[in-house]
């Protein structure tokens, strides 16, 4: 019997019209198995087979086909089609993490940064809920790479890592956020971030290239009783300075130590009689 791609398509379509979806699917899958990856099987054929599986309530089979089609759309530059197909998958599998990850990537490629951020955070939440800690962190790293020099993105990642209980993973992001604030001249915000980092790890030091001729002791530290000032106020509600701190009762307050008592450079500059900084 002739099993050319054209004949298989014709016979499968005829069976669809006669409302024999199971028989049509058998022929379509012969077509996919024998000619998949060739010019005889394009994305429209695969989507048609996926829709047939949906009609038969075979959701997993349909999703597998739609995932391949979404990737094919995206690789061809048809990102709107890829995103639409991902949304179609989510109507049937609302918690399908691979699809959220595709949506995040496709949205980023299309320049829809806000949507990409939202999807990456959903991925991280879902993976963490499943106990896939490493994969959740990888999703957050992908999220950070969308806008590595955006303080808001870094702040959102900090808040998310704290919420899922990953204080040590926060440090690289706090370091980057500290550098970004200093580079923009936001020294008070940088001081708040530095204090947060020191509460996570007392050995923390800022990036050397962020402080070419200053020391951490020279920064104007803030006494913070509530949420972090300025940029860190953008963190979701419930994320405050207390999220970073351990129980330090009975320990000396670092802010009241030598760093507070040491004279500031600018003070010495103003009071020096000969204009020479000691």
């Amino acid at each position: 019997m002739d099993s050319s791609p054209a004949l298989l398509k014709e016979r499968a379509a005829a069976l669809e019209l006669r409302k024999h979806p199971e028989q049509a699917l058998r022929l379509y899958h012969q077509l996919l198995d024998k000619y998949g990856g060739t010019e005889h099987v394009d994305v429209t054929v695969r989507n048609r087979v996926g829709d047939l599986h949906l009609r038969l309530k075979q959701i997993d089979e349909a999703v597998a086909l739609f995932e391949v089609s979404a990737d094919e759309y995206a690789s061809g530059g048809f990102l709107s089609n890829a995103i639409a197909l991902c949304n179609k998958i989510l109507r049937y599998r609302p918690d399908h993490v691979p699809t959220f990850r595709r949506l995040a990537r496709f949205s980023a490629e299309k320049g829809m940064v806000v949507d990409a951020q939202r999807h990456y955070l959903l991925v991280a939440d879902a993976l963490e809920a499943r106990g896939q800690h490493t994969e959740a962190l990888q999703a957050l790293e992908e999220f950070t790479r969308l806008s590595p020099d955006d303080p808001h993105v870094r702040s959102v990642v900090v808040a998310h890592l704290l919420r899922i209980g990953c204080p040590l993973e926060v440090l690289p992001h706090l370091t980057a956020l500290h550098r970004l604030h200093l580079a923009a001249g936001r020294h008070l915000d940088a001081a708040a971030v530095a204090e947060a980092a020191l509460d996570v790890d007392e050995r923390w030091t800022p990036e050397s290239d962020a402080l070419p001729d200053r020391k951490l002791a020279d920064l104007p530290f803030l006494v913070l009783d509530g949420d972090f000032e300025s940029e860190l106020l953008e963190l979701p509600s419930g994320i405050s300075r207390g999220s970073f701190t351990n129980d330090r009762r009975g320990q000396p307050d670092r802010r009241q130590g030598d760093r507070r008592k040491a004279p500031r450079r600018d003070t010495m500059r103003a009071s020096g009689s000969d204009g020479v900084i000691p």
Side-chain angles (χ1 to χ4, degrees):
M1 180 182 296
D2 184 6
S3 60
S4 67
L7 184 59
L8 285 171
K9 290 179 189 178
E10 182 181 336
R11 292 172 58 206
L15 287 168
E16 277 190 81
L17 288 174
R18 294 202 296 269
K19 298 187 178 180
H20 297 300
E22 295 91 345
Q23 296 176 40
L25 271 177
R26 282 197 290 271
L27 291 181
Y28 275 128
H29 276 289
Q30 285 183 37
L31 179 67
L32 291 174
D33 292 341
K34 191 168 184 178
Y35 298 103
T38 71
E39 70 276 9
H40 301 294
V41 177
D42 60 15
V43 67
T44 58
V45 171
R46 195 181 301 108
N47 290 345
R48 189 168 186 172
V49 180
D51 286 334
L52 268 179
H53 280 296
L54 288 180
R55 284 169 55 186
L56 296 173
K57 310 298 183 185
Q58 298 168 350
I59 308 301
D60 289 341
E61 291 83 351
V63 166
L65 290 166
F66 292 151
E67 286 183 289
V68 176
S69 292
D71 289 339
E72 187 173 328
Y73 277 136
S75 64
F78 301 102
L79 290 168
S80 295
N81 294 37
I83 290 170
L85 201 49
C86 287
N87 287 322
K88 182 175 183 176
I89 292 172
L90 292 175
R91 288 201 295 271
Y92 296 92
R93 286 284 183 266
D95 58 349
H96 197 250
V97 175
T99 297
F100 277 119
R101 202 158 195 164
R102 282 185 172 85
L103 264 178
R105 188 171 70 249
F106 300 158
S107 298
E109 291 177 11
K110 193 172 172 60
M112 301 161 60
V113 177
V114 174
D115 286 342
Q117 292 175 357
R118 176 167 53 88
H119 295 313
Y120 271 122
L121 294 179
L122 286 171
V123 169
D125 268 338
L127 291 171
E128 193 65 34
R130 296 179 179 184
Q132 296 174 264
H133 178 72
T134 301
E135 291 81 358
L137 294 179
Q138 289 172 350
L140 288 175
E141 287 299 328
E142 288 181 29
F143 169 49
T144 305
R145 286 197 294 271
L146 288 177
S147 304
D149 295 327
D150 186 334
H152 175 67
V153 168
R154 292 285 183 179
S155 296
V156 170
V157 172
V158 166
H160 199 83
L161 287 170
L162 290 173
R163 184 159 58 82
I164 65 178
C166 305
L168 292 181
E169 283 84 354
V170 167
L171 282 175
H173 297 287
L174 287 173
T175 300
L177 187 56
H178 180 265
R179 170 177 52 78
L180 292 170
H181 282 319
L182 280 186
R186 296 186 293 266
H187 295 292
L188 293 180
D189 294 332
V193 173
E195 185 72 8
L198 287 167
D199 279 327
V200 175
D201 187 347
E202 293 184 356
R203 298 167 298 178
W204 178 85
T205 55
E207 290 183 351
S208 58
D209 60 347
L211 293 171
D213 57 359
R214 303 181 73 187
K215 296 180 180 179
L216 185 60
D218 296 323
L219 292 176
F221 276 81
L222 300 175
V223 177
L224 300 174
D225 297 320
D227 291 345
F228 295 122
E229 294 288 343
S230 189
E231 185 65 43
L232 289 185
L233 285 175
E234 297 183 15
L235 298 180
S237 59
I239 302 300
S240 66
R241 181 177 179 276
S243 304
F244 292 88
T245 57
N246 297 318
D247 186 357
R248 296 166 58 194
R249 288 173 293 184
Q251 299 181 28
D253 190 336
R254 240 186 347 265
R255 291 190 303 263
Q256 305 303 323
D258 292 340
R259 188 170 58 220
R260 274 281 183 181
K261 297 177 182 178
R264 290 282 309 278
R265 284 190 183 182
D266 52 355
T267 303
M268 293 186 290
R269 182 180 291 111
S271 61
S273 59
D274 56 0
V276 177
I277 300 174

